[in-house]
Amino acid sequence: GTIAASVGVGQDTLASEDGLAEYIEKQKKLIGNYLKEAKFAGPQVIAFAGADEAQLLFVRHSANSAGSMLHAQTYARLGNWVGIVTLTTLEAQLKAVRPEYEAFLKGLRISPQ
């Protein structure tokens, strides 16, 4: 009956190379429509090996039976391509899973198409 932490990866294409901020704002609106009581922190600029730019966005919401959930979304842009890595965990588990998540992120590489 407990919720295990998970990591999801995805990718998308931006309309332009300077469109990451706009893309993240659209994602925030979509998430806000889906998770009615979502609270956002960020995005904030971070380093990501091989990316032209990268940003981190935190989303917190309450899952009725589980408690407070946290999503850490890393957006890494190279040209018009954007990779998205999302950690989903109970907020209470964040300290336990964050070191492994950060090691996972450091192991990721952007490869040319």
Side-chain angles (χ1 to χ4, degrees):
T2 63
I3 296 176
S6 64
V7 175
V9 295
Q11 62 181 349
D12 209 345
T13 303
L14 302 174
S16 69
E17 290 185 9
D18 61 351
L20 184 59
E22 180 182 342
Y23 181 87
I24 293 172
E25 287 304 312
K26 287 180 182 179
Q27 292 299 305
K28 287 171 68 173
K29 287 180 184 177
L30 288 170
I31 293 166
N33 288 336
Y34 182 71
L35 302 173
K36 298 298 181 197
E37 296 180 20
K39 293 183 176 36
F40 298 93
Q44 65 184 37
V45 174
I46 60 168
F48 193 99
D52 292 332
E53 71 176 311
Q55 296 198 27
L56 177 62
L57 175 69
F58 285 101
V59 182
R60 177 182 289 134
H61 70 96
S62 179
N64 293 336
S65 60
S68 183
M69 298 291 299
L70 187 68
H71 307 275
Q73 295 187 305
T74 300
Y75 297 86
R77 181 189 64 78
L78 180 62
N80 286 14
W81 177 88
V82 63
I84 306 108
V85 184
T86 303
L87 167 67
T88 300
T89 185
L90 287 167
E91 189 172 1
Q93 294 176 344
L94 182 61
K95 285 184 182 180
V97 301
R98 190 166 186 170
E100 287 84 5
Y101 176 66
E102 289 178 359
F104 174 79
L105 280 178
K106 286 181 182 177
L108 291 177
R109 298 290 177 262
I110 299 172
S111 61
Q113 293 189 3

